Amino acid sequence: MADSEAVPDHLDGAPEAYHTLLDQYRRVSNLGSAQGVLSWDQQVTMPEGGTPARSKQLSTLSGLHQELLTSDEIADSLDELEDEDLSPTQAAVVREIDREYRRAERVPQTLVEEISETTSEALPAWEQARAEDDFSQFAPYLEKLVELKREYAEHIDPDRDAYEVLFEEYEPYLGLDTAEDVLQRLRDELVPLLDDIRESDADLASPFEGGEYPEDVQEDLSRDILDDLGYDWEHGRLDTSSHPFTSGNQFDSRITTRFDESDPLGALMATVHEFGHAFYSLGLPREEFGTPLGESRDLTVHESQSRLWENHVGRTEAFWEHNAERVRDAFDGLDDVSAREFYEAANRVYEDNLIRVEADELTYHMHIVVRFEIERDLIAGDLAVEDVPEVWNDKYEEYLGIRPDSDAEGCLQDIHWSHGNFGYFPTYSLGSVLAAQLDATVREEVDEFDAKVRDGDFEDLRTWLRENVHQHGARYTTPELVEEATGEAFTADYFVDYLTAKFADLYDLDGY
Amino acid sequence: MADSEAVPDHLDGAPEAYHTLLDQYRRVSNLGSAQGVLSWDQQVTMPEGGTPARSKQLSTLSGLHQELLTSDEIADSLDELEDEDLSPTQAAVVREIDREYRRAERVPQTLVEEISETTSEALPAWEQARAEDDFSQFAPYLEKLVELKREYAEHIDPDRDAYEVLFEEYEPYLGLDTAEDVLQRLRDELVPLLDDIRESDADLASPFEGGEYPEDVQEDLSRDILDDLGYDWEHGRLDTSSHPFTSGNQFDSRITTRFDESDPLGALMATVHEFGHAFYSLGLPREEFGTPLGESRDLTVHESQSRLWENHVGRTEAFWEHNAERVRDAFDGLDDVSAREFYEAANRVYEDNLIRVEADELTYHMHIVVRFEIERDLIAGDLAVEDVPEVWNDKYEEYLGIRPDSDAEGCLQDIHWSHGNFGYFPTYSLGSVLAAQLDATVREEVDEFDAKVRDGDFEDLRTWLRENVHQHGARYTTPELVEEATGEAFTADYFVDYLTAKFADLYDLDGY
């Protein structure tokens, strides 16, 4: 435990108010991570009937979180520190706490508790609605959550668009304009690429089709690959849940996945994706646990880490050259499949796929556009909850050329809205964009990157991410961190170039 | 969820201060049950490396628990309610909150947090010390906890014996004198009985000796038996942990057990025991979640429930008549074992057993006497931590006629001290005593009790316990509850009579 006992430099000789601020903030942060444990438990281990108690526990914790965050200790310390001469690190810490404080102090305690209690009840309602393919069971909860979150945003800033305010909960520094520009650009650039792919004669391999892939074998394989990537089991675990997710901190960061016995690729890619999240959390400085320097830089950066591992490692040909034999050995019926064929399978564009988390790298962003437009309109009051299924299906038809037959495979597929998380989805696309930008830098700075992936040697990549991203916690704003890590401003150029080159090659496309 | 939404009678027309008191107390209680989830997770699912974060989370939660419990809202409401004319139910609620408040407000916040943080670190230290059979690894934590808990007791009442004050944390109403009398009486009455058993020629069956009992088969059997007893899986789960325990509330009450592949009886009896705890928690009124009426009546009563199921159901001949075939079918090599032989095995007095949780009903209480004397002396400052292993071993030799070879099988076997729980052990014996008293009443009031157990029909017993014990929550004090349920004052008579009759029969003893 020596790690967590070291006294960080920025505390040395800091003003009294800075110490007071951090002492109180640590309690806020500890409460927050305790809520994370209760929420993980609710999704992974809690018996179904435990919901009423859990929702009350979480409601009390989030009420207290709010109380502590807006307490006089924090308010007064922030006031005092305005006139102090702070080091850049200290100023960054104060900036982060101040931002959280300003948002929180504008929202009434009762509203925070009501949101927490409602989301605790919405989660099992969503699960049941999805299992029974019946949106009407979830609709009242969604309606309540839309209202509550709109109210929440209005408290924070009545003069700004509510959705913009909510979006900043997940990505505070890039701005909703950037998100809109990126989504617009992706639509503009990827739709023609998708059209060309649809018209291509290339026939990518699909070696997993028609086979049976037992859950326990898939789980063993996931564990082997996690070992390989460098997952630290002393600080993590792998479970299953209805929706893959990662939860935790630098001491305890847990992955969930889910298995489909007709297709092992989904779980495998989900596991690599969640590894990226967990590896980021586990790389945050231990001695900064409970301060902004020990917390992650919000969702764009978090998602860039999962996407980098999933797409720029897990969906490369080199990765499949490394893993082809392991996958062939694990399952029956794959003896003659080449690494190139596995690689093709992992990158096949599934034009008829309805499920976001099973989407390929291209169509994925059209899934995001659908959600973004729907939740933006829901929050603006331009769309009624009861109309969500139809609008969802219409948009899928328009942007993806397919129409869901059921709500389970349509607007009930994602967990986010049952958490009240409106404004979250765009960060997935922003994360993909940043992942490509980081990957471009890594490939410049790490010698023989592909050869190392081919050997299952991820040491240099891990070190690069630790040094350039993880160790900073929330010290830098998102734009600053991008600049620090890549030497450039945030840009979608690399992502578009990467996708275009990759899919032009895979699908034998001309003119790219 | 209608259950939890009903408005209980005692709130109708109650004074304003009563509502304020309960609103605040519910938050205290929710925080407490959230701590329970974090602690369950720490013992069952948390990766080892998660300790530093978990100890900080728990420390923050217990500090907040203390703050809320001693807040002005509670203090002022209690003051105001002193002059109010309350119903008996309201008065009971106020009595319970007042007792908790008085104890808490005397203890400084910093001490509460320090205890919490120390216990979080002590738990893994104890686990490792036990695994490596090395008391010295645990000693510094034990020393710290003894000091902290002594200090804690002195804050609550500097004029009374610290151990007595600590004991009341676990059993607030029976008094340490009663505990001492009971332990004294058990020693006086059971030691001669044990001597006679040692000299008896009776040779009880030991059908499990020398066999192999795979863990997964044991687990299936545990689950079958839990089904049979009436465990509600929608509100519970079964896991393994280094020490069996139950954690939860009326919505979510979870059991752990542990498996020994050379002996299935241990896990089986532990499972039945923990079922009793879980069934009590699950029987607390749901609409009272978060108030004293929805909380259990402390440890004597809790333990009476586990002991009643373990000993007065699980160790009866009728229970084994019901389960003999199931156990024969589950494992190899038991085809010729009769119900009577299983019954004998479940009640065999193991004179050379060193482990409390594996002890038979008789020697069990000598294990308690050892712990009671040691912890009482530790807290009094009459025994140094470094001397615990030797004193432990000496006392085992004196009271049980056996001497442990290792600390792992000696003073490191129990988890309690690593939680800082000094004063807890006597409640095990008090619980056994009360279980026998309740069992005597059940057998008067339930027709054909044994025949029903033989048929695996536990409905009447469950109903009796629900009506006479569980539904009251902490409405009655322990003596009141005993009086309500049995029509008599708390007494060890039934326990001594029950043990004497049972073991005189099993061991063919004369003169009883």
Side-chain angles (χ1 to χ4, degrees):
Chain A
M1 276 185 41
D3 272 353
S4 66
E5 303 296 344
V7 175
D9 286 347
H10 63 104
L11 292 169
D12 252 2
E16 187 59 31
Y18 188 77
H19 288 283
T20 309
L21 180 70
L22 275 183
D23 286 346
Q24 185 74 344
Y25 185 77
R26 277 194 203 91
R27 302 178 80 202
V28 173
S29 176
N30 291 343
L31 255 184
S33 63
Q35 287 170 267
V37 178
L38 264 65
S39 171
W40 178 89
D41 179 81
Q42 180 167 22
Q43 292 173 70
V44 178
T45 45
M46 190 186 80
E48 213 179 321
T51 308
R54 183 56 44 86
S55 64
K56 287 185 177 20
Q57 292 155 352
L58 282 169
S59 164
T60 292
L61 292 191
S62 60
L64 285 167
H65 187 269
Q66 171 83 353
E67 265 178 49
L68 289 186
L69 182 53
T70 57
S71 63
D72 291 345
E73 283 93 330
I74 290 202
D76 297 346
S77 307
L78 286 171
D79 262 3
E80 278 184 51
L81 289 166
E82 268 182 26
D83 305 322
E84 294 278 355
D85 193 23
L86 300 173
S87 74
T89 305
Q90 291 168 343
V93 166
V94 171
R95 176 197 70 220
E96 289 301 314
I97 299 178
D98 187 72
R99 186 178 63 81
E100 270 194 69
Y101 165 76
R102 302 284 160 214
R103 287 181 73 92
E105 61 102 15
R106 291 172 186 156
V107 183
Q109 174 84 3
T110 48
L111 180 58
V112 173
E113 294 192 10
E114 201 180 349
I115 290 172
S116 167
E117 202 153 330
T118 309
T119 57
S120 278
E121 289 164 6
L123 184 71
W126 165 71
E127 280 176 342
Q128 190 170 329
R130 189 168 87 143
E132 298 177 11
D133 184 24
D134 176 10
F135 179 75
S136 71
Q137 290 182 39
F138 178 54
Y141 295 93
L142 181 56
E143 185 140 355
K144 185 86 186 285
L145 285 168
V146 167
E147 270 168 40
L148 292 171
K149 291 304 285 243
R150 196 187 290 139
E151 205 184 315
Y152 177 88
E154 278 160 9
H155 280 291
I156 292 173
D157 193 341
D159 300 325
R160 284 167 65 216
D161 175 56
Y163 185 75
E164 186 179 359
V165 173
L166 294 177
F167 168 74
E168 290 171 4
E169 196 102 345
Y170 310 106
E171 174 42 62
Y173 294 109
L174 283 177
L176 184 62
D177 286 350
T178 302
E180 284 183 323
D181 288 349
V182 163
L183 289 172
Q184 186 62 45
R185 178 163 178 200
L186 294 184
R187 190 158 44 173
D188 293 348
E189 306 237 27
L190 303 186
V191 165
L193 182 59
L194 270 168
D195 285 342
D196 286 351
I197 287 172
R198 279 197 195 91
E199 281 162 28
S200 155
D201 294 331
D203 188 20
L204 268 58
S206 49
F208 297 111
E209 256 180 46
E212 280 271 345
Y213 308 93
E215 194 167 315
D216 57 334
V217 180
Q218 289 194 51
E219 189 183 328
D220 288 346
L221 186 62
S222 284
R223 288 179 188 278
D224 282 351
I225 285 177
L226 286 170
D227 280 342
D228 229 27
L229 299 177
Y231 189 48
D232 179 357
W233 295 101
E234 206 184 311
H235 296 273
R237 47 182 290 140
L238 175 68
D239 295 273
T240 57
S241 63
S242 62
H243 189 101
F245 72 103
T246 297
S247 170
N249 52 60
Q250 47 270 66
F251 292 101
D252 177 0
S253 193
R254 307 173 184 188
I255 293 171
T256 74
T257 190
R258 61 177 174 193
F259 300 108
D260 172 351
E261 296 208 321
S262 71
D263 170 30
L265 257 180
L268 221 147
M269 288 295 108
T271 302
V272 177
H273 177 100
E274 299 304 333
F275 166 78
H277 283 304
F279 186 66
Y280 180 17
S281 297
L282 292 173
L284 296 165
R286 292 193 175 170
E287 70 280 9
E288 293 293 355
F289 179 76
T291 84
L293 301 174
E295 291 172 344
S296 61
R297 174 67 295 156
D298 299 287
L299 296 197
T300 301
V301 177
H302 232 306
E303 194 67 13
S304 77
Q305 299 305 294
S306 55
R307 296 295 161 123
L308 192 150
W309 285 95
E310 178 189 353
N311 295 333
H312 300 275
V313 175
R315 293 191 203 272
T316 62
E317 195 162 0
F319 181 80
W320 286 97
E321 282 163 5
H322 175 57
N323 282 297
E325 195 172 332
R326 171 182 280 164
V327 175
R328 280 193 294 259
D329 289 349
F331 301 112
D332 292 336
L334 300 175
D335 292 349
D336 301 326
V337 182
S338 69
R340 175 75 190 183
E341 286 170 314
F342 284 128
Y343 165 66
E344 287 183 10
N347 288 288
R348 209 181 148 85
V349 174
Y350 286 93
E351 294 152 32
D352 55 354
N353 168 55
L354 291 160
I355 308 299
R356 178 182 62 83
V357 295
E358 293 169 8
D360 54 82
E361 277 183 273
L362 283 181
T363 52
Y364 187 90
H365 302 281
M366 301 303 106
H367 293 263
I368 296 301
V369 169
V370 171
R371 287 153 179 77
F372 165 67
E373 292 179 359
I374 288 177
E375 64 180 19
R376 190 192 53 194
D377 291 351
L378 275 173
I379 296 295
D382 295 339
L383 172 64
V385 163
E386 60 184 349
D387 296 331
V388 165
E390 205 186 328
V391 170
W392 180 286
N393 295 349
D394 290 348
K395 284 184 189 287
Y396 263 75
E397 204 160 355
E398 188 183 345
Y399 303 146
L400 288 120
I402 43 173
R403 190 176 183 91
D405 289 331
S406 76
D407 296 338
E409 292 200 308
C411 63
L412 287 174
Q413 67 182 267
D414 287 314
I415 201 171
H416 304 61
W417 292 341
S418 73
H419 285 318
N421 291 348
F422 307 105
Y424 188 123
F425 283 118
T427 65
Y428 287 127
S429 291
L430 295 172
S432 292
V433 163
L434 178 54
Q437 190 172 356
L438 292 172
D439 174 63
T441 311
V442 168
R443 282 167 190 271
E444 272 178 25
E445 298 184 5
V446 170
D447 286 342
E448 304 280 345
F449 182 78
D450 272 326
K452 283 173 181 152
V453 171
R454 203 171 295 120
D455 291 342
D457 171 6
F458 304 105
E459 184 64 33
D460 287 351
L461 173 58
R462 286 195 298 258
T463 304
W464 192 93
L465 292 171
R466 290 288 192 233
E467 283 177 5
N468 291 282
V469 180
H470 306 177
Q471 67 152 325
H472 300 308
R475 177 187 178 128
Y476 299 117
T477 66
T478 318
E480 285 169 359
L481 183 65
V482 174
E483 188 83 37
E484 277 289 324
T486 70
E488 284 186 298
F490 180 80
T491 169
D493 292 348
Y494 294 99
F495 186 51
V496 170
D497 289 352
Y498 152 78
L499 283 181
T500 309
K502 178 172 176 177
F503 286 93
D505 170 65
L506 276 163
Y507 281 90
D508 267 334
L509 306 181
D510 292 330
Y512 285 93
Chain B
M1 275 185 43
D3 272 351
S4 66
E5 304 295 345
V7 174
D9 287 348
H10 64 105
L11 292 169
D12 251 2
E16 187 60 32
Y18 187 78
H19 288 283
T20 309
L21 181 69
L22 275 183
D23 286 347
Q24 185 74 345
Y25 185 77
R26 277 194 203 90
R27 301 178 80 202
V28 174
S29 177
N30 291 342
L31 255 185
S33 64
Q35 287 170 268
V37 178
L38 264 65
S39 171
W40 178 88
D41 179 82
Q42 181 167 21
Q43 292 172 69
V44 178
T45 45
M46 189 185 82
E48 213 179 321
T51 307
R54 184 56 42 88
S55 64
K56 287 185 178 18
Q57 292 156 352
L58 282 168
S59 165
T60 292
L61 291 191
S62 61
L64 284 167
H65 188 270
Q66 170 83 353
E67 265 179 49
L68 289 186
L69 182 54
T70 58
S71 63
D72 291 346
E73 284 92 331
I74 290 202
D76 296 346
S77 309
L78 286 171
D79 263 2
E80 278 184 51
L81 289 167
E82 266 182 28
D83 305 322
E84 294 277 357
D85 192 24
L86 300 173
S87 73
T89 305
Q90 290 168 343
V93 166
V94 171
R95 176 198 69 221
E96 289 301 314
I97 299 178
D98 188 72
R99 186 177 63 80
E100 271 195 68
Y101 166 75
R102 302 285 159 212
R103 287 181 73 93
E105 61 102 14
R106 291 173 186 154
V107 183
Q109 175 84 3
T110 48
L111 180 58
V112 173
E113 295 192 11
E114 200 180 350
I115 290 171
S116 167
E117 201 153 330
T118 309
T119 57
S120 277
E121 289 165 6
L123 184 70
W126 164 72
E127 280 176 342
Q128 189 170 329
R130 190 169 87 142
E132 298 178 11
D133 184 24
D134 177 8
F135 179 75
S136 72
Q137 290 183 38
F138 179 54
Y141 295 93
L142 181 55
E143 185 140 355
K144 183 87 184 283
L145 284 168
V146 167
E147 270 169 40
L148 292 170
K149 291 304 284 243
R150 196 187 290 140
E151 204 184 316
Y152 177 88
E154 278 160 10
H155 280 290
I156 292 173
D157 193 342
D159 300 325
R160 284 167 65 217
D161 175 55
Y163 185 74
E164 185 179 359
V165 172
L166 294 177
F167 168 73
E168 290 171 4
E169 196 104 344
Y170 309 106
E171 173 43 62
Y173 294 110
L174 283 177
L176 185 60
D177 286 351
T178 302
E180 284 185 323
D181 290 349
V182 162
L183 289 173
Q184 186 61 45
R185 176 162 178 201
L186 294 184
R187 191 159 44 173
D188 293 347
E189 306 235 27
L190 302 186
V191 165
L193 182 60
L194 270 167
D195 284 343
D196 287 351
I197 286 171
R198 279 197 195 91
E199 282 163 26
S200 154
D201 294 331
D203 188 21
L204 269 57
S206 49
F208 296 111
E209 256 181 47
E212 279 271 347
Y213 307 93
E215 194 167 314
D216 58 334
V217 179
Q218 289 194 51
E219 188 182 327
D220 288 345
L221 187 62
S222 284
R223 288 181 188 276
D224 283 350
I225 285 177
L226 285 169
D227 280 342
D228 229 27
L229 298 177
Y231 189 49
D232 180 357
W233 295 100
E234 207 185 312
H235 295 274
R237 49 181 289 139
L238 176 68
D239 295 274
T240 57
S241 63
S242 63
H243 189 98
F245 73 102
T246 297
S247 170
N249 53 61
Q250 47 269 67
F251 292 101
D252 177 0
S253 192
R254 307 173 184 187
I255 293 171
T256 74
T257 189
R258 61 176 175 192
F259 300 107
D260 173 350
E261 297 208 320
S262 71
D263 170 29
L265 256 180
L268 221 148
M269 289 294 106
T271 302
V272 176
H273 177 100
E274 300 303 333
F275 166 78
H277 283 304
F279 187 65
Y280 180 18
S281 296
L282 292 172
L284 297 166
R286 291 192 176 171
E287 70 280 9
E288 293 293 355
F289 179 76
T291 84
L293 302 173
E295 291 173 345
S296 61
R297 175 64 296 156
D298 299 286
L299 295 198
T300 301
V301 177
H302 231 307
E303 194 67 14
S304 77
Q305 299 304 293
S306 55
R307 297 294 162 124
L308 192 148
W309 285 95
E310 178 189 353
N311 295 333
H312 300 275
V313 174
R315 294 192 203 273
T316 62
E317 194 160 1
F319 182 81
W320 286 97
E321 282 163 5
H322 175 58
N323 282 297
E325 195 172 333
R326 171 181 280 162
V327 175
R328 280 192 295 259
D329 289 350
F331 301 112
D332 292 336
L334 300 175
D335 292 349
D336 301 327
V337 182
S338 69
R340 175 75 190 184
E341 288 171 313
F342 284 127
Y343 166 65
E344 287 182 11
N347 287 288
R348 209 182 150 84
V349 173
Y350 288 93
E351 295 151 32
D352 55 353
N353 167 54
L354 291 161
I355 308 298
R356 178 183 62 84
V357 296
E358 292 168 8
D360 55 83
E361 277 183 274
L362 283 182
T363 50
Y364 187 90
H365 302 281
M366 301 303 105
H367 292 263
I368 296 301
V369 169
V370 170
R371 287 152 178 79
F372 166 66
E373 293 178 359
I374 288 178
E375 64 181 18
R376 191 192 50 194
D377 292 351
L378 274 173
I379 296 295
D382 296 338
L383 172 63
V385 163
E386 60 184 349
D387 296 330
V388 165
E390 204 185 330
V391 170
W392 180 286
N393 295 349
D394 289 348
K395 284 185 189 286
Y396 263 74
E397 203 158 356
E398 187 183 346
Y399 303 145
L400 289 120
I402 42 174
R403 191 176 183 91
D405 289 332
S406 75
D407 296 338
E409 291 200 308
C411 62
L412 287 173
Q413 67 181 267
D414 289 312
I415 199 171
H416 303 63
W417 292 341
S418 73
H419 285 318
N421 292 348
F422 307 105
Y424 188 124
F425 283 118
T427 66
Y428 287 126
S429 290
L430 295 171
S432 292
V433 162
L434 178 54
Q437 189 173 356
L438 293 171
D439 175 62
T441 311
V442 168
R443 282 166 190 272
E444 271 179 25
E445 297 184 5
V446 171
D447 286 342
E448 305 279 345
F449 182 79
D450 272 326
K452 283 171 180 154
V453 172
R454 204 170 295 120
D455 291 343
D457 172 7
F458 304 104
E459 184 64 33
D460 287 351
L461 174 58
R462 286 196 297 259
T463 304
W464 192 93
L465 292 170
R466 290 289 193 234
E467 284 176 5
N468 290 283
V469 180
H470 307 177
Q471 68 153 324
H472 300 309
R475 179 188 176 127
Y476 300 117
T477 66
T478 319
E480 286 168 359
L481 183 65
V482 175
E483 188 83 36
E484 277 288 325
T486 69
E488 285 185 297
F490 181 78
T491 168
D493 292 348
Y494 294 100
F495 185 50
V496 170
D497 289 351
Y498 152 78
L499 283 181
T500 309
K502 178 172 176 176
F503 286 93
D505 171 65
L506 277 162
Y507 281 91
D508 266 334
L509 306 181
D510 293 328
Y512 284 93

